[in-house]
């Protein structure tokens, strides 16, 4: 049985429970998850000041399995809607990734800065207005989060430092957000997959977010299922394909100084050699990039990520199997699935899948959305 609990966003301390009538949630790799909760006013909530109890950003909601004490999904409250006629309150939440859209990349020493003029040269500024991070790309992501925790605490558990030779230099006056820099790191070649996994702190009722970083892939477990046995646990599979974003010829524009602009280009010709037409794309979103190698990585990464159509395999399954053991509840974003299929469309084979997203609600079913794992060396 799942219940909705209320937590303090800054400390993670449990504040109470919420008798919700329905909810739905979504979790994904390298991006914000969501949780929406609906409360119908009844005797259970009569007399409670939910307007204060569920204050946006100050409070976090979580769906907690009361048997296993596992956090199914969680999110920070950011939006509410009250329907006076229906006596219903709708609360929208997003996981901790979203609060990083409201955190800037800057050192804590600037918290006392008031006003003035800073003088730079060729687009760079003296410390502390220039920040340089070194290590693996995962380390740089970790250090970005660590830096914003110095400015304002959150109940986030950071992973250990790995070590590496990557380097990123950012200018504070660009006023980039932590979220945008994390997204940049995940999108380059060999960029790490990142999720913030909500968990109860051992031996307590408090909530913490564990930052999990892939190397570069997050892969906790491989699940082996047989779709031919569709009687109970797996009831539905669908495949959605979208090739509107495919490219083989990628251009990227970086920062500009005076009349000089960084341009990077990567053309992977295997699609055309296999009979596809030329498909071009340009990315102009990297105006703060000043290193040509970093920009080249973005250009090359686009041809790797977008040289095939986006095909999403969705599997609807029970959270528990017939014997009461965890089935869908064992899956987390990043996991692999070995799925045996016998289909007129997919063929008779074993599909190797990567879990991209999980969605669920108050029912016993969840939907697992995946992409097929394809070896890079094979077209």
């Amino acid at each position: 049985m799942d219940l909705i609990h209320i937590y303090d966003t800054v400390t993670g301390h449990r504040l109470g429970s919420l008798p919700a009538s329905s909810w739905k949630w979504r979790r994904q790799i390298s991006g914000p998850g969501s949780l929406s909760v609906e409360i119908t006013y009844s005797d259970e909530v009569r007399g409670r000041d939910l307007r204060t109890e569920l204050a946006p950003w100050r409070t976090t909601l979580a769906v907690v399995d009361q048997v296993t004490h596992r956090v199914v999904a969680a999110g920070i409250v950011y939006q509410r809607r009250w329907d006076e006629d229906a006596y219903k309150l709708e609360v929208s939440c997003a996981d901790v990734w979203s609060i990083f859209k409201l955190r800037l990349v800057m050192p804590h020493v600037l918290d006392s800065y008031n006003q003035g003029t800073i003088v730079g040269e060729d687009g760079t500024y003296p410390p502390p207005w220039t920040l340089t991070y070194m290590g693996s790309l995962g380390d740089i992501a970790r250090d970005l989060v660590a830096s914003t925790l110095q400015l304002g605490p959150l109940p986030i558990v950071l992973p250990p430092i790995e070590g590496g030779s990557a380097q990123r230099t950012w200018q504070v006056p660009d006023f980039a957000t932590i979220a945008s820099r994390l997204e940049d790191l995940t999108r380059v070649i060999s960029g790490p997959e990142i999720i913030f996994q909500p968990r109860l702190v051992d031996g307590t009722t408090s909530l913490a977010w564990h930052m999990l970083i892939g190397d570069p892939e997050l892969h906790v477990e491989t699940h082996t299922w047989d779709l031919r046995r569709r009687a109970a646990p797996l009831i539905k599979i669908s495949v959605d394909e979208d090739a509107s974003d495919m490219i083989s010829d990628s251009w990227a524009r970086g920062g500009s100084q005076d009349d000089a602009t960084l341009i990077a280009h990567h053309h992977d010709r295997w699609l055309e050699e296999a009979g596809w037409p030329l498909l071009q794309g340009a990315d102009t979103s990297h105006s703060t990039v000043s290193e040509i190698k970093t920009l080249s990585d973005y250009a090359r990464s686009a041809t790797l990520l977008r040289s095939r159509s986006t095909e999403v395999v969705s599997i609807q399954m029970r959270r528990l199997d017939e014997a009461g053991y965890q089935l869908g509840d064992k899956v987390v974003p990043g996991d692999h699935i070995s799925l045996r299929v016998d289909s007129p469309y997919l063929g008779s084979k074993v599909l190797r899948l990567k879990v991209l997203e999980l969605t669920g609600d108050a029912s016993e079913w969840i939907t697992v959305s995946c992409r097929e794992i394809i070896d890079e060396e094979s077209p």
Side-chain angles (χ1 to χ4, degrees), residues 239-247 270-271 276 279 303-312 345 371-372 374:
V239 181
D240 296 285
E241 185 174 12
D242 183 357
S244 61
D245 201 33
M246 279 180 66
I247 62 170
W270 78 263
L271 274 174
W276 269 263
L279 303 171
T303 62
L304 291 176
L305 297 175
R306 296 165 58 187
S307 62
R308 295 179 176 87
S309 59
T310 302
E311 191 171 64
V312 177
Y345 183 73
R371 64 164 171 82
E372 190 171 1
I374 300 172

Side-chain angles (χ1 to χ4, degrees), residues 14 37 96 100 143 146 179 187 218 225 227 242 244 253 274 278 287 292 301 316 325 330 334 341 344 377:
R14 182 179 177 275
V37 178
V96 75
F100 294 141
D143 290 346
R187 290 173 181 171
L218 273 172
W225 298 326
L227 192 62
D242 183 357
S244 61
R253 186 177 71 197
L278 172 66
S287 59
I292 189 62
S301 178
Q316 189 178 19
Y325 294 103
K330 292 180 66 176
V341 297
E377 58 268 18

Side-chain angles (χ1 to χ4, degrees), residues 334-350:
D335 278 359
H336 289 185
I337 296 173
S338 179
L339 184 66
R340 177 68 185 179
V341 297
D342 188 2
S343 161
Y345 183 73
L346 296 172
S348 181
K349 59 182 178 180
V350 175

Side-chain angles (χ1 to χ4, degrees), residues 262-312:
L262 283 181
I263 298 290
H265 176 225
H266 185 77
H267 190 173
D268 191 337
R269 301 180 186 276
W270 78 263
L271 274 174
E272 292 140 77
E273 292 169 355
W276 269 263
L278 172 66
L279 303 171
Q280 292 181 300
D283 186 352
T284 60
S285 64
H286 304 294
S287 59
T288 61
V289 173
S290 58
E291 298 289 336
I292 189 62
K293 182 183 182 304
T294 302
L295 191 65
S296 296
D297 283 347
Y298 283 123
R300 183 165 177 264
S301 178
T303 62
L304 291 176
L305 297 175
R306 296 165 58 187
S307 62
R308 295 179 176 87
S309 59
T310 302
E311 191 171 64
V312 177

Side-chain angles (χ1 to χ4, degrees), residues 224-236:
T224 302
W225 298 326
D226 192 337
L227 192 62
R228 297 172 300 179
R229 203 176 139 267
R230 301 186 55 168
L234 311 174
I235 65 162
K236 185 178 181 182

Side-chain angles (χ1 to χ4, degrees), residues 8 16 28 41 55 58 66 119 123 125 134 150 165 198 202 212 245 260 290 303 319-320 323 334 357:
D8 184 289
Q28 62 173 333
Y41 263 65
R58 191 183 66 83
Q66 295 303 106
V119 179
Y125 300 88
M134 301 180 67
Q150 289 183 304
S165 58
D202 291 342
L212 305 182
D245 201 33
S290 58
T303 62
R319 293 177 55 185
L320 304 178
E357 178 183 291

